[in-house]
Amino acid sequence: MSGKPLLIQKAAQLVTLKGSSTAPLRGKAMEDLHIIEDGSVWVEDGIIRSVGTDAQVREQVGSRLEEAEVVDAAGRLVTPGLVDPHTHLVFAGSRENEFEMRLQGATYMEIMEAGGGIHATTSATRQADEEQLYQESRRRLDQFLRHGVTTVEAKSGYGLSLEHELKQLKVAQKLNRDHPVNVVSTFMGAHAIPAAYKERPDEFVEQVIREMIPEVARRKLAEFNDVFCERGVFTPDQSRRILEAGKEYGLAPKIHADEIEPYGGAELAAQVGAVSADHLLKASDEGIRAMAEAGVVAVLLPGTAFFLMAEMADGRKMVDAGVPVALSTDCNPGSSPTISLPLIMNLGCLKMGMTPAEVLTATTINAAHAIRRGHEIGSLEAGKKADLVVFDVPNYMGLQYHYGSNHTRTVIKDGKVVYERD
Ligand code: NIG
Ligand code: FE
């Protein structure tokens, strides 16, 4: 990569999160944002070369400043590009009808058991061709970018057959190539038992293990392997088999755990060495302890609890128990149809008892670690990718305090300005 160097100058607060590249932050350290006042960042070839006060950076850079493009952040907040570590980005259609049904009292699982829910989106996604899926997903990715997100994880799981799972993953791969936002792929063939296998779920589990995982790995279409471990979907035993099979093919385990009822998902995550366990609304104390010990990142999804009108996962308790916590939208058409990571941050503060500093850690460096990217994104340090956001607020608390607004002003990805609000 070449082109002009870039100076992002004079941020009122520059949130660096320095020193957190090797492991996610836990406990009290989740509040150590390592803020520089009147901070600047020097970028060359898409990589951060220097971070400090404006005076320090100017002195280091010297006369090279003359050739640089300048983004003036005076009076504003600058943070690492936000990272969303759990989305179901690639799907077709929407499910407003189910939203109405739930408002009238039907539950998420009842709708799914009656053939709606994930099954409804699976039908729509199977019918859509690659181009349609690409266009629909690309519009969502544009929206993520406008809210300050520079990397998302994206799961398959609305194909539920080899052909259609591959189609979803190919769309995610193409988006990663074409779009400024990076897309990190997760295979989630075990997202639901397809209707045709309702009476013989183990046959579907075998199909995921013998047919889908090897092919996804052979084509290098995913880095992670995820399972919806929940009563009525995949049992802990089936989930373990699927996650262990993925490991043999180099796919790192993730798990949708303890979302609707306590089911041993958090414990299983610790046992299989999952990179993250996600949801955790009903995780047991034992499971939380096991995750802290094993260093599994808890990816909490307050938008899902909000939208399903359920009790939130206890973010406060998990942070205090030493679990590294990340936050995410869970963007999907059923339980969380939002692309707004800033809204999720608001909910983290107001509904999960986390502090503004903790939620910022949870959507930058800890989110990066939840998708094994902590070494290259999530903090502003020399050597890392130049993914940054300028927010129209004077300090990091303003992001949460002025809730419900999109404060994103400028987004820089790989050292280039890729979004600027008019
Ligand atoms: O993370 N819980 C399972 N999967 C998604 C929802 C998928 C859907 O309803 O379409 C989730 O909430
Ligand atoms: Fe999910």
Side-chain angles (χ1 to χ4, degrees):
M1 205 184 300
S2 62
K4 276 188 168 186
L6 179 69
L7 177 74
I8 300 101
Q9 68 171 17
K10 299 182 179 168
Q13 288 192 337
L14 180 69
V15 171
T16 69
L17 286 148
K18 183 177 77 159
S20 44
S21 295
T22 50
L25 295 175
R26 303 169 181 234
K28 284 266 166 269
M30 280 189 70
E31 292 202 291
D32 284 346
L33 299 180
H34 289 272
I35 291 172
I36 300 173
E37 286 178 10
D38 196 32
S40 294
V41 179
W42 177 254
V43 177
E44 276 175 297
D45 300 327
I47 302 292
I48 296 173
R49 305 290 177 186
S50 168
V51 179
T53 62
D54 188 60
Q56 286 166 341
V57 171
R58 275 170 197 277
E59 194 186 310
Q60 270 185 29
V61 175
S63 63
R64 280 178 297 160
L65 255 181
E66 287 153 30
E67 1 150 5
E69 184 185 344
V70 176
V71 171
D72 191 8
R76 304 199 168 88
L77 170 74
V78 173
T79 74
L82 302 180
V83 177
D84 191 329
H86 179 142
T87 85
H88 302 257
L89 177 75
V90 180
F91 61 85
S94 59
R95 309 208 311 251
E96 290 90 342
N97 58 328
E98 294 181 7
F99 175 50
E100 279 216 310
M101 287 162 73
R102 285 196 302 98
L103 290 175
Q104 283 157 13
T107 70
Y108 177 79
M109 288 310 266
E110 280 166 4
I111 292 169
M112 177 162 162
E113 274 148 28
I118 294 171
H119 302 296
T121 301
T122 299
S123 302
T125 304
R126 284 180 175 179
Q127 276 164 37
D129 64 17
E130 229 174 278
E131 179 59 21
Q132 181 192 338
L133 260 186
Y134 175 85
Q135 294 302 344
E136 285 193 32
S137 310
R138 191 180 170 109
R139 281 196 286 277
R140 282 186 280 276
L141 209 49
D142 289 340
Q143 289 296 320
F144 272 109
L145 179 66
R146 286 168 189 215
H147 286 76
V149 175
T150 48
T151 301
V152 303
E153 181 258 21
K155 301 174 196 298
S156 66
Y158 292 122
L160 306 184
S161 69
L162 179 62
E163 177 192 351
H164 295 289
E165 286 292 307
L166 292 178
K167 178 175 71 179
Q168 265 191 285
L169 291 168
K170 278 192 256 171
V171 168
Q173 188 182 55
K174 189 165 180 331
L175 285 167
N176 182 47
R177 276 200 297 257
D178 297 355
H179 199 279
V181 175
N182 278 137
V183 180
V184 174
S185 289
T186 294
F187 167 65
M188 198 175 179
H191 193 196
I193 314 258
Y197 290 84
K198 204 171 173 187
E199 305 308 325
R200 43 193 180 110
D202 275 318
E203 274 182 45
F204 183 67
V205 171
E206 284 306 303
Q207 204 183 103
V208 170
I209 291 175
R210 296 194 190 288
E211 197 184 327
M212 298 191 208
I213 288 175
E215 191 58 17
V216 166
R218 191 182 71 77
R219 295 182 185 228
K220 297 191 173 33
L221 280 169
E223 288 177 44
F224 300 97
N225 180 30
D226 198 340
V227 180
F228 188 7
C229 178
E230 196 72 44
R231 191 179 303 284
V233 196
F234 295 91
T235 65
D237 177 60
Q238 291 168 334
S239 302
R240 181 193 304 275
R241 279 158 45 208
I242 291 164
L243 295 176
E244 291 292 351
K247 274 159 66 176
E248 278 171 36
Y249 285 88
L251 301 178
K254 281 178 165 281
I255 179 169
H256 279 58
D258 305 316
E259 177 184 354
I260 313 285
E261 53 179 282
Y263 204 38
E267 290 86 338
L268 178 61
Q271 286 159 15
V272 301
V275 178
S276 74
D278 306 31
H279 285 292
L280 302 169
L281 282 69
K282 302 287 158 103
S284 70
D285 288 348
E286 191 43 47
I288 292 171
R289 257 197 306 279
M291 282 178 59
E293 206 161 292
V296 179
V297 180
V299 176
L300 304 183
L301 312 163
T304 310
F306 175 61
F307 198 67
L308 294 185
M309 297 172 281
E311 209 178 305
M312 299 269 158
D314 195 339
R316 179 75 266 135
K317 183 160 98 182
M318 291 186 213
V319 173
D320 292 342
V323 180
V325 171
L327 291 173
S328 159
T329 60
D330 192 19
C331 170
N332 78 74
S335 66
S336 190
T338 184
I339 51 70
S340 177
L341 197 52
L343 169 65
I344 299 307
M345 295 161 86
N346 294 146
L347 293 173
C349 286
L350 294 165
K351 293 287 185 188
M352 284 183 162
M354 292 171 68
T355 65
E358 287 167 346
V359 301
L360 200 44
T361 296
T363 47
T364 53
I365 190 65
N366 277 12
H369 283 293
I371 51 171
R372 290 191 163 171
R373 290 291 191 285
H375 58 291
E376 61 180 30
I377 55 173
S379 63
L380 303 181
E381 298 175 82
K384 281 194 149 178
K385 282 173 155 221
D387 295 358
L388 302 91
V389 191
V390 182
F391 289 107
D392 244 337
V393 287
N395 57 54
Y396 72 90
M397 285 170 289
L399 278 183
Q400 312 315 326
Y401 171 70
H402 298 284
Y403 79 96
S405 302
N406 182 8
H407 301 291
T408 309
R409 182 188 179 90
T410 309
V411 183
I412 294 151
K413 182 78 185 73
D414 293 317
K416 294 206 165 64
V417 174
V418 289
Y419 171 71
E420 207 159 17
R421 205 180 42 220
D422 302 333

